[in-house]
């Protein structure tokens, strides 16, 4: 792979919490417009990888680059601002702001953080709500929405920042089986439109369909990575085989 | 009502029984000669409430306790907010002393703090060359506001920390700066959880204002004591019951409302 044209590049990233080494040298590069899925057992460091990419947690060693931004060199929240504009994140627990309506949740950051024009942002928010098929829920509070609806609002909120990359952290793990589909449909559209996505997921079927590449992590390392067909149908590493045997 | 009773209905029945028993006892006592004593209490009630026999102007009595409670609460709100932000500061140099102060004030007997203020604060303070007398009322306000401020700060800290950490994470991921996260996301949510705690604290403070009698201000207890020296012994009980009821009648509705709000906040998702 040509490393220089990668949009996101992680190089030998290490991270410890106290004495516990969570990431033991993660190297990964993602091209512009690519959809990469990260799979692996729980506790293997998948969420930590995503949090490091958008600077939510500082890394101990290695290098992370997003576009021309060298993430490992950023020291303060203020320096992180351009990074946060470029990289949005959607969480397992939605993390919508419960004291604001769906529409306000989407509009807040573009207006308050990016300083975009309120009227223009409102138009954008309505457009995004329509995109995730929630036009009729603009004035609902998160507490009045189902899990799947909340997660779609969270996706619209991330999109409202007009990011180049979106990180999805097990966004369907907390949902009922019947609402998982509506969220996955929304994500699939984004991937088809060419937005760069890194998805941590347990939905193997979905990963196989949307991802251009799948990475399998275990104990803080990327054990194996490649096209979905290779990972799912002909896994090389015994650990990958064991994991897939359990979940498939 | 259907049998068997729910927990809530049982509670209602017990409450009703207690109120009826109390009313019955008072009525029986009134018939056995208590009515005359109640008459004396009724006669003195304006004095107990306002500090003046005619009921006006408000120079003391229970009205002074209310002023004292409001004044202390206002001062405690200011000091408590500062203390809370100190306890949540990033720098250890700020955080640790604030924690020490909070713990010290929260774990001291209120009466001791009140006495301490009585002796620590001078009778006169010199400000810009002008000597200003410090009235006992001001000392009482300061003395009561100290422990209240510490509790006030703990309520703020508890509410802020009860906000799910995912809110912080989501806000940071959207590019918010720490100060903006507090003002736009954390505090608006935490405030709903603080208000019931503050109301309970105010009710507690109101009860504690009766301690301020040691500063010599003409609050309801001082008034009562002066009054009792002129009354016969048998009637004292009736006066004390009345005073007790004054505090109860003022504080219980506040506590009740606080509990209601707590229940409604609990229903919030996240
Ligand atoms: N803030 C933290 N402090 C301490 N340990 C953490 C923290 N975040 C994650 N961990 C630990 O790091 C490991 C990997 O976590 P995570 O990246 O969330 O795994 P995954 O998302 O793959 O399930 C887990 O064992 C977890 O307990
Ligand atoms: Mg995780």
């Amino acid at each position: 792979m040509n490393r220089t044209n990668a949009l996101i590049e992680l190089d030998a990233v290490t991270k410890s919490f106290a004495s516990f080494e969570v990431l033991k040298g993660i190297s990964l590069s993602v091209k512009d417009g690519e959809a990469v899925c990260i799979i692996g057992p729980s506790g293997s460091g998948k969420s930590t990888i995503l949090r490091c990419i958008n600077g939510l947690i500082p890394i101990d060693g290695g290098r992370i680059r997003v576009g021309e931004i060298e993430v490992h060199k950023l020291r303060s929240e203020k320096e992180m601002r351009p990074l946060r504009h470029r990289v949005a994140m959607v969480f397992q627990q939605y993390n919508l702001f419960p004291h604001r309506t769906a529409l306000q949740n989407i509009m807040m950051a573009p207006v308050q953080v990016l300083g975009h024009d309120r009227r223009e942002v409102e138009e954008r928010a309505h457009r995004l709500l329509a995109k995730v098929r929630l036009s009729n829920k603009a004035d609902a509070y998160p507490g009045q929405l189902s899990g799947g609806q909340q997660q779609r609002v969270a996706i619209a909120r991330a999109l409202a920042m007009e990011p180049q990359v979106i990180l999805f952290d097990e966004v369907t793990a907390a949902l009922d089986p019947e609402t998982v589909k509506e969220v996955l449909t929304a994500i699939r559209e984004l991937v088809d439109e060419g937005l760069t996505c890194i998805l941590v997921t347990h939905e193997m079927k979905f990963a196989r369909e949307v991802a251009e590449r799948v990475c399998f992590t275990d104990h803080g390392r990327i054990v194996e990575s490649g096209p979905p067909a290779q990972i799912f149908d002909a896994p090389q590493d015994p650990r990958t085989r064991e994991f897939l045997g359990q979940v498939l | 009502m259907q049998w068997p009773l729910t927990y809530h209905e049982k509670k209602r029945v017990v409450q009703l029984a207690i109120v009826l028993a109390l009313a019955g006892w008072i009525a029986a006592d009134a018939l056995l000669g208590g009515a005359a004593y109640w008459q004396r209490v009724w006669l003195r009630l304006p004095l107990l409430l306002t500090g003046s026999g005619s009921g006006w102007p408000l120079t003391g009595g229970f009205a002074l306790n209310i002023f004292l409670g409001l004044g202390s609460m206002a001062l405690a709100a200011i000091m408590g907010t500062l203390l809370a932000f100190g306890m949540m500061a990033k720098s250890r140099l700020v955080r640790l002393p604030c924690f020490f102060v909070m713990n010290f004030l929260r774990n001291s007997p209120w009466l001791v703090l009140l006495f301490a203020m009585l002796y620590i604060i001078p009778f006169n303070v010199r400000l810009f060359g002008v000597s200003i007398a410090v009235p006992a009322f001001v000392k009482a306000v300061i003395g009561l506001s100290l422990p209240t401020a510490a509790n006030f700060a703990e309520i703020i800290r508890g509410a802020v920390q009860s906000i799910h950490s995912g809110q912080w994470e989501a806000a940071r991921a959207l590019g918010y700066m720490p100060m903006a996260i507090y003002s736009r996301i954390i505090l608006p949510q935490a405030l709903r959880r603080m208000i019931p705690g503050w109301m309970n604290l105010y009710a507690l403070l109101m009860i504690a204002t009766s301690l301020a009698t040691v500063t010599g201000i003409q609050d309801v207890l001082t008034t009562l004591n002066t009054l009792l020296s002129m009354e016969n012994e048998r009637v004292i009980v009736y006066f004390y019951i009345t005073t007790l009821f004054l505090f109860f009648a003022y504080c219980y509705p506040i506590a009740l409302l606080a509990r209601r709000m707590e229940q409604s906040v609990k229903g919030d998702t996240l």
Side-chain angles (χ1 to χ4, degrees):
Chain A
M1 180 185 303
N2 183 355
R3 293 208 119 208
T4 48
N5 74 3
L7 175 62
I8 300 171
E9 211 179 316
L10 281 74
D11 186 21
V13 171
T14 56
K15 172 70 191 176
S16 302
F17 289 114
S19 62
F20 178 51
E21 197 172 20
V22 181
L23 302 183
K24 299 170 183 163
I26 296 285
S27 296
L28 171 72
S29 68
V30 180
K31 280 181 289 186
D32 197 6
E34 199 179 15
V36 174
C37 277
I38 301 177
I39 61 170
S42 115
S44 60
K46 306 182 296 295
S47 303
T48 308
I49 295 174
L50 296 191
R51 283 175 168 78
C52 290
I53 292 174
N54 74 342
L56 285 177
I57 46 182
I59 60 175
D60 299 336
R63 299 147 45 81
I64 300 179
R65 182 179 62 76
V66 176
E68 73 290 343
I69 303 170
E70 307 220 60
V71 180
H72 56 282
K73 289 187 181 157
L74 304 178
R75 286 289 165 267
S76 68
E77 291 288 303
K78 195 162 185 166
E79 290 174 1
M80 301 261 183
R81 226 173 204 177
L83 175 69
R84 303 278 163 75
H85 184 180
R86 194 171 256 201
V87 182
M89 186 157 179
V90 183
F91 301 88
Q92 177 176 349
Q93 294 298 334
Y94 337 127
N95 296 345
L96 292 178
F97 305 130
H99 61 303
R100 291 274 183 257
T101 64
L103 186 71
Q104 290 168 337
N105 262 282
I106 298 171
M107 288 178 59
M108 275 172 81
V111 172
Q112 294 168 353
V113 176
L114 303 178
H116 290 178
D117 175 63
R118 172 171 282 278
R119 276 217 310 273
E120 190 265 314
V121 172
E122 188 164 354
E123 249 169 59
R124 189 192 309 168
H126 280 295
R127 207 174 59 238
L128 290 170
L129 274 173
K131 189 183 172 77
V132 296
R133 299 183 185 81
L134 285 173
S135 291
N136 57 338
K137 297 290 185 187
D139 296 320
Y141 283 89
Q144 300 166 323
L145 298 174
S146 74
Q149 292 170 331
Q150 289 191 57
Q151 195 57 288
R152 283 182 284 155
V153 173
I155 291 171
R157 179 174 73 175
L159 288 170
M161 295 294 280
E162 303 183 318
Q164 215 173 344
V165 184
I166 302 195
L167 312 173
F168 294 91
D169 189 2
E170 295 194 36
V171 293
T172 56
L175 300 178
D176 304 327
E178 59 265 34
T179 53
V180 166
K181 218 175 119 207
E182 61 194 35
V183 173
L184 292 184
T185 306
I187 297 173
R188 191 187 308 252
E189 281 174 17
L190 300 180
V191 173
D192 290 344
E193 286 165 20
L195 191 68
T196 311
C197 295
I198 303 181
L199 306 119
V200 171
T201 185
H202 281 302
E203 303 285 334
M204 297 304 156
K205 190 163 154 284
F206 177 74
R208 181 193 283 264
E209 285 163 15
V210 303
E212 279 142 64
R213 199 146 45 89
V214 176
C215 301
F216 172 72
T217 57
D218 193 25
H219 290 106
R221 287 205 174 82
I222 294 183
V223 175
E224 190 170 357
S225 90
Q230 179 196 320
I231 299 289
F232 290 119
D233 300 332
Q236 302 299 308
D237 197 281
R239 278 174 290 178
T240 318
R241 254 175 266 153
E242 188 194 350
F243 175 74
L244 290 173
Q246 283 165 2
V247 297
L248 285 180
Chain B
M1 246 188 262
Q2 272 202 338
W3 215 260
L5 298 180
T6 64
Y7 169 76
H8 210 72
E9 286 165 342
K10 277 184 203 157
K11 202 171 101 184
R12 274 290 138 84
V13 170
V14 171
Q15 280 173 342
L16 195 70
I18 292 174
V19 171
L20 284 179
L22 214 59
W25 179 68
I26 290 174
D29 175 70
L31 287 177
L32 296 171
Y37 296 127
W38 284 121
Q39 192 112 39
R40 291 216 54 77
V41 172
W42 180 249
L43 223 58
R44 300 297 200 175
L45 199 56
L47 189 67
L48 274 185
L49 283 173
T50 66
S52 13
S54 60
W56 193 261
L58 303 177
T59 55
F62 194 67
L64 194 67
N65 287 71
I66 294 177
F67 293 146
L68 189 56
L70 291 175
S72 304
M73 195 68 193
L75 189 59
I78 297 168
M79 295 194 299
T81 306
L82 292 176
L83 195 59
F85 277 104
M87 289 194 296
M88 294 187 289
K90 249 200 186 132
S91 149
R92 282 168 76 89
L93 236 59
V94 180
R95 209 169 56 222
L96 292 183
C98 285
F99 262 104
F100 177 79
V101 169
M102 183 277 292
N103 274 314
F104 177 79
L105 291 177
R106 236 162 75 94
N107 295 295
S108 306
W110 292 38
L111 191 56
V112 176
L113 283 173
L114 208 53
F115 267 120
M117 286 306 114
L118 205 55
Y119 294 111
I120 290 171
I121 302 173
F123 288 107
N124 286 288
V125 284
R126 296 193 71 80
L127 253 184
F128 308 116
V130 188
S131 169
I132 304 167
V134 181
F137 180 77
V138 171
K139 290 184 181 183
V141 165
I142 295 173
L144 286 173
S145 68
L146 288 178
T148 313
N151 284 289
F152 197 94
E154 264 301 83
I155 291 169
I156 294 181
R157 196 177 69 93
V160 166
Q161 294 196 336
S162 76
I163 302 294
H164 191 261
S165 65
Q167 296 286 307
W168 274 98
E169 215 165 33
R172 287 179 63 208
L174 288 166
Y176 280 98
M177 296 293 119
M179 273 302 152
I181 298 179
Y182 267 120
S183 67
R184 295 192 190 273
I185 289 146
I186 305 299
L187 288 180
Q189 294 179 56
L191 202 61
R192 282 175 56 87
R193 305 182 188 188
M194 294 175 200
I195 289 170
W198 288 341
M199 286 167 60
N200 276 323
L201 181 61
Y202 174 66
L204 215 62
L205 168 65
M206 191 57 206
I207 292 166
T209 58
S210 59
L211 298 173
T213 186
V214 299
T215 61
I217 62 169
Q218 293 297 315
D219 80 319
V220 68
L221 236 71
T222 313
T223 313
L224 182 65
N225 280 326
T226 327
L227 212 153
L228 291 181
S229 60
M230 301 180 288
E231 298 285 349
N232 77 45
E233 242 173 69
R234 188 76 176 80
V235 83
I236 287 178
V237 178
Y238 293 84
F239 273 99
Y240 271 113
I241 288 175
T242 306
T243 311
L244 210 61
F245 181 74
L246 283 182
F247 279 100
F248 178 78
Y250 188 86
C251 295
Y252 187 61
I254 297 173
L256 212 59
L257 192 63
R259 183 144 12 117
R260 282 266 165 79
M261 292 175 75
E262 257 166 26
Q263 294 295 339
S264 79
V265 171
K266 230 189 263 169
D268 281 6
T269 46
L270 268 178

